[in-house]
Amino acid sequence: MGHTTGGDDAWARLHAYLVDPMKRPQVLLGSALAAFWSLIEPSLDPPPKSSPAPSDNLQTPMNLVMPLNFSYVAYRAELGHMLFDAADEILAGLNNVGTVHFARFDVIGGNLCMFSIFDGDFEGYIRDFIGAIGGAFDGIMKFVKDPAPTPCGQNVDQFVAWVRGHDSLQMPELASDVTPGLRALQRQTLVQLYRHPNAQMGVYRGYPGYSVAQIRDGLEIGW
Amino acid sequence: MVVAGPSLGLLSEVQGNILQAYGTHYRAVNHLILAVADPTAARRALARMVDGDRSTPDVTSGERPPREAGFRWCLNIGFTYPGLMALGVPRTSLDSFPPEFVEGMNARAARLGDVGESAPVNWVSGLARPEQVHLIVTVHGWCRSDVESITQQVLGAERGRAFRLVSSEPLDGDALFDERTGLRQVHFGYADGISQPRFVGIHDPEDYEDDLPLLPIGVVLLGYPSATPHVSWQVPSPDVLGRNGAFNAFRVLGQDVPGFEAFLAATTVSAGSVGAAGSVGAAPDVDVELAAAKVCGRWRNGAPLSLAPTRAEADAFDLTRLNDFDYIDDDPDGLKCPIGAHIRRNNPRGAHIVQRSANRTRALIRRGVPYGPVWDPSDPNSFALPRGLLGNFICGSLAAQFEAVQYDWINMGFQDPRITGTNDPMVGANYPGTSCFSWPRDGAQTVVMRGFTRFVFTRGGAYTFLPSIPAIRWIAARGA
């Protein structure tokens, strides 16, 4: 029995889905409507999160998905070596940013992903980490498709925009976050997912409402 | 292109009041909120403003202190993004400006804390309609008549066809002075304009009796390395347009002086040490002036709490040492100047902060003049009169400096976990139900003050670009 590729699997799953008479109209109609709405309602993308309430600005996820130029094993190994060599700079830099709870690099399906949880404003976070680990990102840009202009530190605004463009769509965490109203939820969801193949669809926080510095201060491990 | 540092002749190209304040002789100011009425006429008027002829309104450069030159008035121009568009600046140049400037202050309101009463929809003097705000012309003068004379000449430029006042509501202010110290002050009664950034190649450290570090000129001027290693802000293109320019956050900040004083008076009889459940009891050793000093970080005469923790020390303070302190050495835990105090939040100096490399990178040049009458507690009619500050916060990056201070430090308290989640007690977007300000005491329990309302609220604002003198000539030559 031959090896089945991921693409064949996907077709098989889609076929199974479409032959289900209960789901077929829903899938076809949803896809068609998403494409149509996406053309006529360009404003349905969620605006960047910005709230004056401090608790709304803690522990924000960033899910940066960066397609690699190539996905063959030697290329991924080279990327791994580069990240390993830059590990000290990255770890020290993120520590200096001071607002990062967690950050990690994963290679998933031909993409280099940086998943992190940070406190504060998205743009401020990106600017701070350019100052701290901009050199490492200059190296990363050599491995990814359509990279941001380098050096990142000399092209700050473009880099912030590039990161925003490669950050996964974050679906609303609470029903109350959905605007303009719950009636629009399905329509918005379809359009946003049509435009953004990568999406975050849920978050759990074990200690909501605390900054990384508050936690470190409370644990007396320095901040 | 970014070059290493300032060159000879820099000051003659940079607009005045950026690198050097105009000084105490210029007591009156007017901010004209203008729209371009006729682009061709407006460009001609701008060309005249940089032709070096002081017989007509001319943009003041930083070449030498205008007082030394005998100038009775000074004039400066800031351009908004819609203003640059209206004047015919080409698309390639417009696209080279940073996104926060393109979006404008109104669109960035949430991150600035401009919500509720301070929301842009409530702004005055036409500033609620940013698409109509093209230029902000600032005129300083020795007296009001100097300012009015130049104002009329600006409005009459090119037979009145160049510019149009966006609103008839004036934005004029007059400097206030502390009669005892001679220092400028704000309506709240505090000395003002004390601590400003100083720059390598511009200021001589020998002139100052403190050890504040000099900052790279790129903190405020475009075209030079910023204070963050390996980071420079993008210079709008072409180089002649962007180089030696700066960005400005112009703010009309209303100040509720009677409310502030009433709050201090009421709170100091109810403030006290925190009990097991955060309860508050009486603290008879806390008086109004001590509370006022703790909230600000300085006594009203300007003496810093870090060097003068008691009223007696403040009264006897040597006012030549107003900046001769650093929290990291003098007060790391806020026993003298609370960590959440206004001046410490806005400028942590060398203190240990969460964003470890940001101590000096968010520096802002502040140029402000009060507006409205001084509050007279004996006159009931004085309570409701509008008063506040016409403030200019000048920097190389509005997002990385002005907005970061406003968002991270003033309204979130991210710089220190001991104040995270609280707002600046003086200028923050406070709500009585959630606001909190505390100060620890040596040998006594921490004092906690609650119930702060918003004492400073935003009545208007705009992001402007303060181009160099050659850049204004370049703008004036578009379409020629």
Side-chain angles (χ1 to χ4, degrees):
Chain A
M1 191 173 176
H3 176 71
T4 306
T5 65
D8 290 342
D9 275 348
W11 276 112
R13 284 196 301 275
L14 180 61
H15 182 261
Y17 197 71
L18 288 175
V19 297
D20 181 341
M22 299 297 289
K23 292 176 179 170
R24 192 187 310 156
Q26 186 182 335
V27 169
L28 294 176
L29 182 63
S31 300
L33 283 175
F36 176 69
W37 284 331
S38 153
L39 288 173
I40 63 169
E41 300 234 31
S43 64
L44 276 181
D45 268 358
K49 185 177 167 184
S50 191
S51 165
S55 58
D56 287 348
N57 293 282
L58 297 170
Q59 301 180 30
T60 305
M62 184 184 78
N63 309 309
L64 187 55
V65 180
M66 301 171 277
L68 291 169
N69 288 321
F70 309 101
S71 60
Y72 55 82
V73 63
Y75 195 74
R76 284 180 278 136
E78 189 183 346
L79 171 64
H81 280 299
M82 191 279 290
L83 288 171
F84 187 78
D85 288 344
D88 286 348
E89 178 193 352
I90 292 171
L91 297 180
L94 291 174
N95 209 38
N96 277 334
V97 169
T99 54
V100 185
H101 290 255
F102 303 102
R104 71 176 198 268
F105 288 99
D106 295 352
V107 172
I108 300 174
N111 301 292
L112 173 62
C113 304
M114 182 188 180
F115 298 123
S116 66
I117 303 275
F118 65 94
D119 299 324
D121 172 53
F122 177 85
E123 290 179 20
Y125 171 51
I126 305 303
R127 282 195 183 83
D128 285 350
F129 92 56
I130 290 172
I133 59 171
F137 261 85
D138 289 344
I140 288 172
M141 288 300 111
K142 294 172 184 166
F143 287 85
V144 302
K145 289 177 184 168
D146 301 321
T150 55
C152 301
Q154 307 299 312
N155 297 278
V156 177
D157 294 329
Q158 293 95 325
F159 187 71
V160 171
W162 188 89
V163 170
R164 191 182 287 290
H166 287 73
D167 187 22
S168 294
L169 173 70
Q170 295 185 22
M171 303 299 288
E173 294 180 25
L174 302 170
S176 57
D177 289 342
V178 178
T179 56
L182 284 173
R183 281 190 307 165
L185 175 59
Q186 190 173 17
R187 182 167 170 170
Q188 282 191 324
T189 302
L190 281 172
V191 171
Q192 289 165 4
L193 289 175
Y194 179 79
R195 289 186 181 146
H196 302 275
N198 305 311
Q200 171 190 290
M201 295 193 173
V203 181
Y204 166 77
R205 294 176 177 82
Y207 44 88
Y210 291 100
S211 72
V212 62
Q214 285 177 308
I215 293 161
R216 294 175 68 145
D217 189 41
L219 293 171
E220 298 182 345
I221 56 174
W223 51 273
Chain B
M1 185 178 69
V2 172
V3 298
S7 60
L8 289 175
L10 172 79
L11 290 174
S12 65
E13 295 193 355
V14 176
Q15 288 202 54
N17 215 26
I18 295 178
L19 297 176
Q20 306 272 11
Y22 285 147
T24 54
H25 275 79
Y26 298 87
R27 291 167 169 259
V29 69
N30 195 1
H31 294 273
L32 299 169
I33 311 298
L34 301 178
V36 171
D38 174 340
T40 304
R43 287 192 292 265
R44 274 203 301 268
L46 287 171
R48 284 182 193 276
M49 288 179 171
V50 286
D51 64 3
D53 177 7
R54 290 277 302 182
S55 65
T56 57
D58 212 56
V59 175
T60 307
S61 79
E63 188 168 12
R64 62 174 171 154
R67 162 80 176 131
E68 287 181 13
F71 297 165
R72 290 188 63 88
W73 53 267
C74 303
L75 181 147
N76 296 101
I77 304 180
F79 298 77
T80 65
Y81 182 78
L84 294 172
M85 282 178 40
L87 286 162
V89 169
R91 172 54 56 189
T92 50
S93 296
L94 294 171
D95 289 345
S96 64
F97 280 87
E100 68 276 7
F101 174 72
V102 174
E103 291 175 24
M105 186 181 284
N106 306 54
R108 313 279 283 189
R111 84 183 52 217
L112 299 176
D114 292 339
V115 295
E117 185 187 6
S118 292
V121 69
N122 298 319
W123 289 1
V124 300
S125 299
L127 295 163
R129 292 168 292 160
E131 70 284 356
Q132 295 191 30
V133 176
H134 294 163
L135 297 92
I136 299 183
V137 173
T138 304
V139 183
H140 289 79
W142 286 13
C143 61
R144 180 58 48 195
S145 62
D146 293 326
V147 169
E148 290 305 325
S149 168
I150 298 304
T151 295
Q152 291 310 314
Q153 291 184 55
V154 170
L155 294 175
E158 298 296 311
R159 298 179 185 175
R161 289 186 293 119
F163 308 116
R164 173 175 58 78
L165 262 179
V166 170
S167 165
S168 59
E169 290 177 276
L171 288 175
D172 51 10
D174 293 282
L176 300 175
F177 294 92
D178 182 329
E179 291 176 0
R180 292 165 300 163
T181 64
L183 295 171
R184 281 177 180 258
Q185 64 177 185
V186 292
H187 279 295
F188 290 123
Y190 296 94
D192 189 35
I194 294 171
S195 175
Q196 299 281 3
R198 301 173 196 145
F199 300 103
V200 176
I202 302 296
H203 297 100
D204 184 351
E206 298 295 318
D207 292 345
Y208 305 95
E209 294 187 21
D210 58 51
D211 56 358
L212 286 185
L214 296 181
L215 299 176
I217 195 74
V219 165
V220 62
L221 292 187
L222 296 170
Y224 307 94
S226 76
T228 305
H230 316 300
V231 171
S232 297
W233 312 126
Q234 183 169 329
V235 183
S237 65
D239 198 65
V240 65
L241 173 63
R243 178 170 302 283
N244 295 328
F247 289 104
N248 180 30
F250 172 65
R251 306 277 278 173
V252 183
L253 299 171
Q255 297 175 336
D256 179 9
V257 181
F260 181 68
E261 297 300 335
F263 174 80
L264 289 178
T267 308
T268 48
V269 297
S270 63
S273 52
V274 181
S279 60
V280 175
D285 55 335
V286 176
D287 68 15
V288 168
E289 286 310 305
L290 177 59
K294 292 288 185 181
V295 160
C296 178
R298 291 183 187 271
W299 298 85
R300 299 207 210 212
N301 70 353
L305 278 170
S306 293
L307 296 180
T310 66
R311 179 80 176 267
E313 289 168 289
D315 289 341
F317 192 74
D318 172 6
L319 295 179
T320 64
R321 297 185 60 218
L322 288 170
N323 278 310
D324 193 14
F325 66 99
D326 195 335
Y327 306 114
I328 191 70
D329 301 321
D330 299 325
D331 192 16
D333 294 318
L335 292 173
K336 297 179 218 170
C337 177
I339 293 161
H342 171 65
I343 67 162
R344 189 164 180 167
R345 274 179 180 264
N346 285 265
N347 180 4
R349 298 181 180 235
H352 177 58
I353 61 171
V354 169
Q355 302 101 332
R356 303 193 198 355
S357 57
N359 292 72
R360 313 283 183 193
T361 62
R362 299 178 177 184
L364 297 165
I365 293 173
R366 293 166 294 113
R367 308 282 186 226
V369 174
Y371 71 87
V374 173
W375 176 51
D376 178 0
S378 66
D379 178 5
N381 295 323
S382 171
F383 279 65
L385 294 175
R387 59 178 62 82
L389 186 81
L390 301 168
N392 294 281
F393 302 87
I394 305 170
C395 55
S397 169
L398 290 163
Q401 292 169 255
F402 174 71
E403 290 186 350
V405 168
Q406 193 76 21
Y407 181 97
D408 278 4
W409 291 355
I410 290 179
N411 281 329
M412 300 293 169
F414 280 143
Q415 63 269 59
D416 191 305
R418 292 167 287 187
I419 61 168
T420 297
T422 67
N423 295 350
D424 184 312
M426 282 189 74
V427 307
N430 282 300
Y431 295 94
T434 56
S435 60
C436 174
F437 171 70
S438 61
W439 78 78
R441 294 186 291 182
D442 208 2
Q445 284 186 294
T446 297
V447 173
V448 180
M449 297 170 71
R450 299 183 193 278
F452 287 80
T453 186
R454 192 159 189 162
F455 303 118
V456 175
F457 43 95
T458 310
R459 299 184 68 232
Y463 284 156
T464 63
F465 177 55
L466 307 176
S468 68
I469 307 294
I472 298 174
R473 288 196 190 100
W474 183 88
I475 294 169
R478 296 310 90 197

